[in-house]
Amino acid sequence: MKTLLKVIGPVLLGSTLLSTPILAETPPNMLVVGFSMNNILTLDPAAITGKETVQVLTNIYDNLVALNAVNRSQVDPQLAESWTISDDNTAITFKLRSGATFASGNPVTSTDVVWSFKRLMKLNLAQASFLKTHGFSAANADASFTAPDDQTVVVKLPKKVDPQIIVQTLGIVGPGSILDSKAVMQHDKGGDMGAAWLTNNSAGSGPFTLGQWQSNERVTLEQNPKYWGEKPGMRRIMMRHLAESQSQRLMLEKGDIDIAYSMSAADLKALEANKDVKIQTNGGSGFYYLAVSMKDEKFQKPKVREALRYLIDYQGLNDSVLPYFGRLRDRPIQTGLLGALPNAGYKLDVAKAKALLAEAGYPDGFSTTLRAISDVPFMSAATAIQATLAQAGIKAEIITGAGDQIYGAMRERKYELIVGRGGGGQLPHPDSNLRAIVYNPDNSDQAKLTNFQGWRTSFYDEKINKMVDEALIEGNKDKQLKNYQDIQSYYAEMVPAIQPFSEVVDSVGFRADIKGLELNPSWSTQLRTVKKER
Amino acid sequence: MGNERLSAFTRQAGTILATLVGLLILTFCIGRLMPVDPVRAIVGEEADQATYEMVAERIGANLPLYQQFVRYMNDLLHGDFGISIRTGQPVINDILHVMPATIELATFAILFGAGFGIPLGILAAVRRNQPVDHVIRFVTLIGHSMPIFWTGMIGLIVFYAVLDLVGGGGRISDYYIGLVPETTGFLLIDAILAGDWEVFWDAVNHLLLPASILGYSSMAYITRMTRSFMLDQLNQEYITTARVKGLSKGRTIWHHAFANIRVQLVTIVALAYGSLLEGAVLIETVFSWPGFGQYITNNMLIGDMNAVMTCVLLVGIIFIALNLLSDALYKIFDPRTR
């Protein structure tokens, strides 16, 4: 016993007294970013899912074009210096910039670009869905993506759509990421086109290369010495898995991390008073919404759906539950996108809702269930909505659980009400919102179109499908804008299954001496421009 | 005699094997009955049905449950623990990476827990119902009943944010990452091997707080158990006899009473150590400690069964090994079992 004390005594003492003092700040040429990495399962651009991976890969891979962080509809050149759209709107020709190289030193050629797109379609993983929606497939990939010469890439549209949406899609991390075909194919294993290798290796031309990925621990990015563009401000970026918002806040306050990507509203609010820390909020992707299932006969009645529309306290929810995460929005197209109308201005109106319910044959309301994942802000939003529903006699029992339980029930079309988040929007085109939230090409159970929230809600309206399709192929910009405005008016009139009450915004905290950070609503925040002013 | 020993050995080995297989079947069933979908985790929310079915087929999730289990067991018997969905790496590599982090944490914690817990327990028993006993019981009651993630958070705020005595989350400060080559995976040992004392002390600095908090909660348990074992002994007649015979109080306590509870203490400490190895997930989350507890939990949450099954197998083996070890120590401490 005594010997044991003799051993641990000095260790305990020594570590507190002799250890080097903890530095109050991160090294000047290294940026430390903290967020929860629970959702990072791979770093292969073709296979990624969700925001966190995009945040990482946007610093490693370039695209042909980049989505502007401020003006959402604007597309900027990246590996392509220019592009032209054919007069008949059926093909896009990209001219590559000269002198761009991959981190390996290989030049970026049209062969790499075409190979990257074909790889995406042939692997047919998560990110392929962006292009599959517009008619691209593994079968037509060879014909759709061609390289007439080393500096030219031609994308032929297999289906009549607005070419602008394809240009924008190629600006998204994942479907548009350009890979070094030679470097990847050196690691081909049994025809997997480097999928296993790319899980934790990188082959891009971006400002940083992947140093190391330790699952649920950290991702390190090293400056790419062969980067073709302006030299990044940082030599190294250390991304740390900090699952707890509280830990992110403490470490940010202490200066042990420079940027915290995923803090809770409570911690962000607490940091407002700290002069060493700044908060930035910018647009995000998708909506917070209340959805009904059209399988339920109550909700098949338009009057009942309309009553629900007046039983949401839009202002109250956004003020109390959603600061830092959402901004009041009651239309199905996000602000800043083509044709987005101002809010319709729905308000909590219990008397009106009661009248509508009475007309529908439910003067005393009814009992139902309301699903929400057991996480902020969903639970608080569900509780608030439960309270306002009760005012009109609708008794909604809250069912809560993990993502798979809640959205799983929605995918199986077995639910009544749900408070959720979704509705596209990573792609800054109104079609992305509408196609996710209301479009439903086939309402049969066998169709299993689980990627359409319209299908999940069992909502089917032939007219709105047609309007969405027509708006997308309208070549005249003025007419297209009018089409999208008309869709929103029609959406307001016929009350579909999903009622948005907020559009997603993203908020991050960062040290006040960090300059040049600009949050990108499509999650592709570039850390290349970030510098430390000390 | 030889035969008897052999059959005893075979019997024990059979029991162990049956335990492990039972454990695997149970884990597999629970894991597959949980409403989580590994395929959905891979393909994401937006994927269509064609992609979903392709991936389901690739990982075998479309097969009936028993076929999945047979397939897993077959791979296992061929020494293949499979690939983790979460990391894309062979599960065995992942475990070799996360286990050292947890062993470091748990070892420091158990040193703390037993190092303080046993003497405090003895002191409390000897000074039964005196103020010092009340204080010890109060302190250990708190350690036992406070949620560990809360203690961890408060610890971080006080010792890291305010007093600046220890490091924050993670095993090491960012600027030291990658400075010493990963030889054993044990950061402290690697730092010593590389002769880099700065890294060593930084790692100790990060280890201290989570290990003490984890140690505090197991100390609470060890103290209470030690106290009750000791009280049991001190009330025995042989203690009174020893004192009457003229032995000093210290000698009676240490040579007689304590010597008799060593065996029970070994079991308690071994089991506490075992549960620290597998069950430190809350403290690992609060301190962003990339250990075994987090690994098994996160993989469970997405239904990554290759990883979960291997982890459970390992936990089973650890507990069986600790049991065998404490059996062996019994034989050393207790002459009657020889």
Side-chain angles (χ1 to χ4, degrees):
Chain A
M1 198 63 249
K2 279 181 186 160
T3 38
L4 194 62
L5 279 177
K6 272 183 198 157
V7 176
I8 54 170
V11 174
L12 290 172
L13 263 178
S15 59
T16 39
L17 300 178
L18 301 177
S19 64
T20 44
I22 297 154
L23 298 183
E25 51 188 32
T26 55
N29 54 7
M30 179 166 101
L31 187 74
V32 184
V33 186
F35 57 98
S36 168
M37 296 187 179
N38 276 334
N39 293 331
I40 300 186
L41 268 59
T42 174
L43 294 179
D44 177 351
I48 60 170
T49 57
K51 182 174 172 180
E52 293 80 4
T53 350
V54 171
Q55 281 170 347
V56 175
L57 292 190
T58 190
N59 297 293
I60 299 178
Y61 292 94
D62 286 324
N63 293 28
L64 288 176
V65 295
L67 302 174
N68 194 284
V70 183
N71 183 353
R72 288 216 69 183
S73 306
Q74 188 184 318
V75 181
D76 300 324
Q78 204 168 40
L79 285 175
E81 57 184 9
S82 67
W83 57 96
T84 47
I85 291 166
S86 69
D87 292 337
D88 59 355
N89 275 348
T90 58
I92 313 161
T93 306
F94 293 91
K95 284 280 170 209
L96 301 190
R97 72 172 65 241
S98 53
T101 58
F102 289 107
S104 64
N106 295 334
V108 178
T109 66
S110 55
T111 317
D112 296 298
V113 176
V114 166
W115 182 85
S116 302
F117 296 154
K118 287 182 187 167
R119 174 179 188 272
L120 174 77
M121 297 320 297
K122 288 187 175 149
L123 289 181
N124 193 19
L125 287 168
Q127 296 295 314
S129 61
F130 280 98
L131 286 171
K132 281 198 282 187
T133 309
H134 301 302
F136 293 89
S137 67
N140 67 24
D142 287 335
S144 301
F145 306 106
T146 49
D149 65 59
D150 257 10
Q151 297 297 109
T152 312
V153 174
V154 178
V155 178
K156 283 201 192 75
L157 310 188
K159 200 165 103 181
K160 204 172 177 214
V161 290
D162 178 2
Q164 182 63 12
I165 201 171
I166 304 299
V167 176
Q168 287 177 341
T169 302
L170 298 182
I172 292 184
V173 175
S177 299
I178 305 303
L179 282 69
D180 184 341
S181 61
K182 291 195 194 76
V184 175
M185 283 314 278
Q186 277 172 9
H187 301 278
D188 177 83
K189 220 164 72 187
D192 76 342
M193 301 179 102
W197 182 74
L198 278 172
T199 303
N200 56 357
N201 289 281
S202 73
S205 60
F208 295 91
T209 61
L210 177 63
Q212 193 192 28
W213 169 46
Q214 286 288 0
S215 175
N216 273 16
E217 192 174 340
R218 62 172 177 265
V219 177
T220 47
L221 305 182
E222 307 289 347
Q223 197 184 88
N224 171 8
K226 303 218 167 66
Y227 181 55
W228 53 272
E230 197 186 326
K231 197 172 152 101
M234 294 288 137
R235 197 178 57 76
R236 177 187 252 196
I237 296 173
M238 174 79 66
M239 295 176 160
R240 293 191 48 176
H241 169 58
L242 297 173
E244 291 290 306
S245 167
Q246 281 268 343
S247 311
Q248 289 181 39
R249 174 182 153 195
L250 281 180
M251 293 184 78
L252 185 64
E253 281 176 326
K254 290 271 293 178
D256 278 344
I257 60 174
D258 298 307
I259 304 175
Y261 267 159
S262 55
M263 281 191 291
S264 71
D267 287 318
L268 284 161
K269 192 164 169 46
L271 284 171
E272 292 277 6
N274 187 329
K275 63 174 180 14
D276 296 327
V277 174
K278 285 185 178 164
I279 313 261
Q280 191 180 120
T281 299
N282 200 359
S285 305
F287 304 92
Y288 291 97
Y289 60 71
L290 174 67
V292 305
S293 170
M294 298 291 282
K295 291 259 181 199
D296 187 309
E297 59 172 25
K298 295 189 289 294
F299 301 125
Q300 284 168 5
K301 298 180 178 167
K303 297 275 181 204
V304 173
R305 298 200 301 274
E306 197 181 349
L308 291 183
R309 180 180 272 172
Y310 294 104
L311 288 175
I312 299 173
D313 181 4
Y314 296 84
Q315 196 64 51
L317 268 177
N318 281 282
D319 289 347
S320 62
V321 176
L322 290 160
Y324 302 105
F325 291 125
R327 187 165 51 202
L328 203 164
R329 184 72 186 150
D330 57 15
R331 301 262 194 203
I333 295 179
Q334 285 175 249
T335 41
L337 302 193
L338 180 74
L341 288 176
N343 280 333
Y346 305 126
K347 286 196 168 55
L348 175 66
D349 188 340
V350 179
K352 191 168 181 179
K354 274 183 163 168
L356 285 163
L357 284 175
E359 277 180 59
Y362 301 100
D364 304 319
F366 50 81
S367 293
T368 185
T369 58
L370 174 60
R371 284 169 203 263
I373 59 171
S374 55
D375 208 347
V376 276
F378 299 96
M379 271 310 290
S380 337
T383 315
I385 289 174
Q386 182 189 38
T388 46
L389 289 177
Q391 291 181 31
I394 300 177
K395 287 175 282 300
E397 180 204 343
I398 292 183
I399 298 178
T400 180
D404 265 340
Q405 285 160 288
I406 301 304
Y407 291 123
M410 197 185 184
R411 276 192 294 266
E412 284 167 23
R413 306 173 116 193
K414 286 177 187 152
Y415 72 100
E416 287 163 294
L417 292 173
I418 188 167
V419 170
R421 178 173 60 195
Q426 194 194 347
L427 192 66
H429 195 288
D431 183 74
S432 155
N433 287 148
L434 294 171
R435 210 160 282 269
I437 220 165
V438 69
Y439 190 78
N440 179 8
D442 182 349
N443 199 31
S444 68
D445 283 347
Q446 300 77 27
K448 287 200 172 178
L449 301 176
T450 52
N451 45 328
F452 292 99
Q453 281 165 74
W455 180 85
R456 295 190 202 174
T457 58
S458 315
F459 181 85
Y460 183 81
D461 183 273
E462 211 174 319
K463 184 174 169 195
I464 205 159
N465 284 342
K466 207 160 155 249
M467 286 173 92
V468 172
D469 282 335
E470 279 173 5
L472 186 62
I473 55 173
E474 178 56 62
N476 181 315
K477 283 289 148 194
D478 293 331
K479 278 191 189 155
Q480 194 182 31
L481 185 127
K482 175 81 175 37
N483 283 351
Y484 282 121
Q485 290 175 340
D486 289 347
I487 293 174
Q488 291 164 85
S489 304
Y490 181 58
Y491 192 97
E493 198 181 298
M494 58 131 181
V495 207
I498 292 184
Q499 177 58 51
F501 49 81
S502 192
E503 62 184 334
V504 175
V505 296
D506 292 323
S507 297
V508 304
F510 57 102
R511 299 291 296 176
D513 56 6
I514 297 291
K515 307 291 174 195
L517 176 69
E518 196 163 49
L519 278 189
N520 190 303
S522 296
W523 310 331
S524 36
T525 302
Q526 292 291 324
L527 296 175
R528 173 177 54 86
T529 53
V530 170
K531 290 187 171 61
K532 294 185 180 182
E533 270 180 20
R534 284 183 184 155
Chain B
M1 193 68 200
N3 268 344
E4 241 172 67
R5 274 212 179 158
L6 191 69
S7 78
F9 176 79
T10 328
R11 219 174 21 245
Q12 190 156 26
T15 318
I16 290 173
L17 210 64
T19 312
L20 291 178
V21 171
L23 197 61
L24 283 179
I25 293 175
L26 198 67
T27 314
F28 192 84
C29 292
I30 294 174
R32 277 288 174 254
L33 290 175
M34 268 177 32
V36 292
D37 184 352
V39 182
R40 187 57 63 181
I42 295 175
V43 300
E45 275 291 306
E46 308 299 330
D48 60 19
Q49 197 61 20
T51 302
Y52 184 92
E53 278 161 13
M54 184 191 78
V55 172
E57 196 182 319
R58 198 184 69 205
I59 66 168
N62 58 340
L63 298 173
L65 215 55
Y66 75 93
Q67 280 188 25
Q68 290 183 40
F69 186 72
V70 168
R71 196 163 126 164
Y72 176 81
M73 287 307 282
N74 186 36
D75 288 348
L76 191 66
L77 291 175
H78 288 89
D80 179 5
F81 293 89
I83 306 276
S84 158
I85 291 172
R86 176 173 283 285
T87 65
Q89 300 301 307
V91 172
I92 209 79
N93 291 9
D94 285 348
I95 290 180
L96 287 177
H97 178 75
V98 294
M99 213 54 211
T102 289
I103 292 178
E104 268 183 0
L105 186 64
T107 307
F108 264 66
I110 204 70
L111 286 179
F112 183 99
F116 286 99
I118 295 173
L120 284 177
I122 294 171
L123 187 64
V126 172
R127 303 270 159 83
R128 187 187 181 183
N129 288 336
Q130 290 171 23
V132 68
D133 180 29
H134 293 306
V135 170
I136 291 173
R137 284 165 70 189
F138 180 69
V139 169
T140 56
L141 183 71
I142 289 177
H144 203 64
S145 46
M146 265 193 315
I148 196 156
F149 61 88
W150 188 82
T151 331
M153 217 55 241
I154 296 296
L156 265 180
I157 291 172
V158 174
F159 294 103
Y160 162 68
V162 179
L163 296 176
D164 215 350
L165 283 175
V166 297
R171 288 175 82 187
I172 191 170
S173 300
D174 294 320
Y175 28 88
Y176 292 126
I177 287 173
L179 281 190
V180 296
E182 200 174 305
T183 325
T184 60
F186 294 92
L187 207 46
L188 297 181
I189 298 176
D190 286 346
I192 293 173
L193 289 178
D196 195 327
W197 294 101
E198 239 180 88
V199 172
F200 178 79
W201 285 119
D202 187 71
V204 171
N205 220 324
H206 279 79
L207 183 59
L208 214 62
L209 187 59
S212 320
I213 288 169
L214 210 51
Y216 178 40
S217 77
S218 61
M219 178 193 93
Y221 174 65
I222 293 172
T223 308
R224 293 169 76 81
M225 294 310 278
T226 311
R227 182 177 175 277
S228 79
F229 291 154
M230 269 311 261
L231 282 178
D232 211 33
Q233 293 297 323
L234 292 176
N235 289 334
Q236 304 273 334
E237 282 180 1
Y238 75 92
I239 294 290
T240 324
T241 316
R243 290 290 282 153
V244 169
K245 218 171 68 179
L247 276 187
S248 74
K249 196 174 180 188
R251 221 180 141 69
T252 327
I253 292 167
W254 290 105
H255 281 245
H256 290 277
F258 181 67
N260 276 331
I261 66 161
R262 282 184 311 193
V263 175
Q264 289 150 296
L265 281 183
V266 166
T267 315
I268 292 296
V269 172
L271 289 178
Y273 187 60
S275 57
L276 286 179
L277 283 178
E278 54 125 4
V281 54
L282 291 176
I283 215 75
E284 285 181 359
T285 306
V286 171
F287 285 88
S288 310
W289 197 267
F292 186 71
Q294 272 212 56
Y295 182 75
I296 189 169
T297 312
N298 285 325
N299 285 309
M300 194 76 184
L301 287 177
I302 63 162
D304 185 348
M305 289 317 284
N306 283 345
V308 172
M309 300 280 279
T310 313
C311 289
V312 168
L313 194 63
L314 184 65
V315 170
I317 292 172
I318 288 174
F319 269 94
I320 290 170
L322 285 171
N323 265 322
L324 291 177
L325 185 74
S326 65
D327 279 355
L329 289 174
Y330 263 60
K331 291 191 178 134
I332 297 172
F333 286 143
D334 188 346
R336 284 171 302 180
T337 56
R338 271 173 217 160

